């Protein structure tokens, strides 16, 4: 059944002029082993002891999560992304992703065709905020620190620290000396500069889909931030009579009344779905 679905999807994508992909939280690496692994449990416990306040704890947890993601590759998930990349090869596509695990950036998909409005692990920012969570730290420098060596160094330190997180040298803000956190949506004072230029590129690309043969593929996008993928995608398909729509989700796969007959619902985990039918893609 699923193999048939993926075959149909392959055909639709092959015949489409443009392909819009939305990636939701079901595609995100849950870092599931983190809470069972003694090394990470110790790190987490020491982070709670060492952190000064909630913000610092959140930042430390982000570094620990990144370490886990880097050192424990989820091969199924990576293969699923590679299948997606193969599927979109040579197509005019754009991907909107809610995931913050950055797996998509090592999938072979073009960075210039991806927007991640929830951020990820590609920049650091200061977390000093006022009571309404607005950024407080004023600096003449760029608000985002985009320098991979900085957090790669932290990853190496974590490798060697034997769970003693106070032995690790974490980067701090050059202006106010607060611990730097990753540019992610749950970071207090989230700096949206991190994705806005890609977002306007996406909006422009969307305008070009009007009256084109468009294939829309939604992978595991449930009700987290439905204004980013789920609702606008439904609207796009509704107004574009030449659009086809695939909604893949393990629980929230249902199609709205207006789109019944035009959209295809697939009740499946999106990772399993991508792995199920594209063997020929390699
Ligand atoms: Zn600062």
């Amino acid at each position: 059944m699923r193999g048939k679905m993926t075959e149909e999807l392959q055909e639709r994508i092959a015949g489409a002029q443009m392909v819009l992909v939305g990636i939701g939280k079901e595609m995100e690496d849950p870092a599931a082993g983190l809470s069972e692994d003694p090394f990470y449990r110790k790190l987490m416990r020491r982070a709670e002891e060492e952190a000064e306040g909630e913000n610092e704890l959140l930042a430390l947890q982000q570094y620990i999560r990144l370490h886990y993601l880097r050192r424990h590759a989820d091969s199924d998930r990576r293969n699923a992304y590679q299948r997606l990349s193969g599927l979109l090869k040579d197509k005019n596509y754009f991907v909107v992703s809610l995931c913050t695990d950055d797996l998509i950036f090592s999938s072979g998909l073009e960075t210039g065709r991806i927007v991640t409005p929830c951020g990820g692990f590609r920049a650091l920012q200061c977390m000093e905020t006022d009571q309404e969570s607005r950024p407080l730290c004023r600096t003449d420098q760029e608000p985002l620190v985009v320098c991979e060596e900085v957090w790669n160094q932290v990853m190496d330190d974590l490798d060697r620290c034997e769970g003693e997180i106070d032995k690790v040298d974490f980067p701090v803000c050059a202006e106010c000396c607060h611990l730097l956190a990753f540019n992610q949506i749950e970071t207090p004072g989230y700096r949206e500069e991190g994705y806005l230029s890609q977002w306007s590129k996406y909006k422009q690309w969307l305008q070009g889909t009007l009256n084109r043969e468009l294939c829309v593929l939604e992978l595991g996008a449930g009700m987290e931030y439905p204004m980013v993928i789920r609702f606008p995608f439904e609207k796009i398909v509704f107004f574009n009579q030449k659009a086809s729509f695939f909604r893949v989700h393990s629980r929230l796969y249902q199609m709205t009344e207006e789109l019944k007959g035009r959209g295809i619902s697939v009740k499946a985990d999106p990772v399993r779905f991508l792995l199920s039918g594209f063997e020929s893609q390699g």
Side-chain angles (χ1 to χ4, degrees):
M1 182 65 181
R2 261 184 228 160
K4 227 174 180 175
M5 281 301 176
T6 49
E7 215 170 276
E8 165 131 24
L9 175 64
Q10 263 174 313
E11 272 168 34
R12 292 289 181 132
I13 288 178
Q17 293 169 294
M18 298 173 93
V19 186
L20 171 62
V21 182
I23 293 179
K25 286 291 182 185
E26 277 202 314
M27 283 288 281
E28 185 147 79
D29 189 334
L34 209 150
S35 55
E36 288 141 36
D37 185 307
F39 171 69
Y40 291 98
R41 277 169 56 176
K42 183 173 178 189
L43 270 181
M44 284 295 193
R45 200 185 62 238
R46 298 288 291 125
E48 279 166 34
E49 288 162 8
E50 290 292 325
E52 286 172 29
E54 271 176 41
N55 286 6
E56 256 195 45
L57 179 58
L58 182 114
L60 294 178
Q61 287 167 341
Q62 289 177 342
Y63 289 100
I64 296 170
R65 176 170 170 245
L66 177 61
H67 188 272
Y68 185 89
L69 291 173
R70 288 265 182 101
R71 302 294 189 254
H72 299 80
D74 179 335
S75 53
D76 275 0
R77 223 165 275 276
R78 276 168 204 269
N79 290 340
Y81 272 109
Q82 258 152 31
R83 294 275 164 86
L84 180 64
S85 172
L87 200 59
L88 298 176
K89 197 166 176 277
D90 302 325
K91 300 302 294 190
N92 180 1
Y93 64 87
F94 217 103
V95 184
V96 186
S97 174
L98 300 174
C99 296
T100 57
D101 55 20
D102 281 1
L103 290 186
I104 193 167
F105 293 103
S106 46
S107 63
L109 289 165
E110 283 175 53
T111 306
R113 294 180 176 275
I114 301 167
V115 62
T116 50
C118 298
F121 292 106
R122 278 153 297 124
L124 294 168
Q125 64 157 85
C126 184
M127 296 184 285
E128 212 205 353
T129 53
D130 65 15
Q131 284 163 340
E132 270 125 50
S133 276
R134 285 177 303 219
L136 249 192
C137 185
R138 297 269 171 263
T139 166
D140 297 334
Q141 296 168 10
E142 290 288 312
L144 296 177
V145 177
V146 185
C147 180
E148 215 178 331
E149 290 83 51
V150 174
W151 54 92
N152 282 345
Q153 183 59 52
V154 176
M155 295 303 110
D156 293 347
D157 283 2
L158 284 170
D159 283 336
R160 290 188 291 259
C161 78
E162 296 175 329
E164 299 297 339
I165 207 160
D166 55 324
K167 287 185 191 160
V168 177
D169 207 3
F170 290 96
V172 294
C173 175
E175 188 74 15
C176 70
C177 293
H178 276 80
L179 192 60
L180 290 175
F182 281 100
N183 181 229
Q184 296 182 2
I185 197 157
E186 72 267 28
T187 299
Y190 177 49
R191 310 289 311 222
E192 299 197 64
E193 291 95 321
Y195 75 89
L196 285 181
S197 66
Q198 273 309 103
W199 187 258
S200 54
K201 215 172 141 186
Y202 164 55
K203 285 288 170 188
Q204 223 167 11
W205 183 92
L206 265 188
Q207 283 175 7
T209 64
L210 224 66
N211 287 316
R212 297 289 178 87
E213 306 269 353
L214 174 70
C215 180
V216 179
L217 171 61
E218 211 182 75
L219 294 165
M223 282 300 163
E224 311 91 2
Y225 311 108
M227 304 303 284
V228 179
I229 294 177
R230 202 159 164 114
F231 297 160
F233 277 27
E234 286 172 355
K235 212 168 130 189
I236 289 161
V237 175
F238 181 75
F239 285 110
N240 183 339
Q241 292 300 316
K242 294 180 182 172
S244 58
F245 187 26
F246 289 79
R247 169 167 281 166
V248 185
H249 198 283
S250 66
R251 288 172 297 109
L252 303 168
Y253 51 85
Q254 297 82 358
M255 205 49 79
T256 60
E257 203 55 47
E258 296 85 16
L259 295 177
K260 278 199 176 134
R262 295 185 53 210
I264 294 172
S265 293
V266 184
K267 182 187 180 200
D269 173 83
V271 174
R272 300 259 74 84
F273 172 76
L274 286 168
L275 292 175
S276 65
F278 301 123
E279 279 78 13
S280 59
Q281 296 280 323

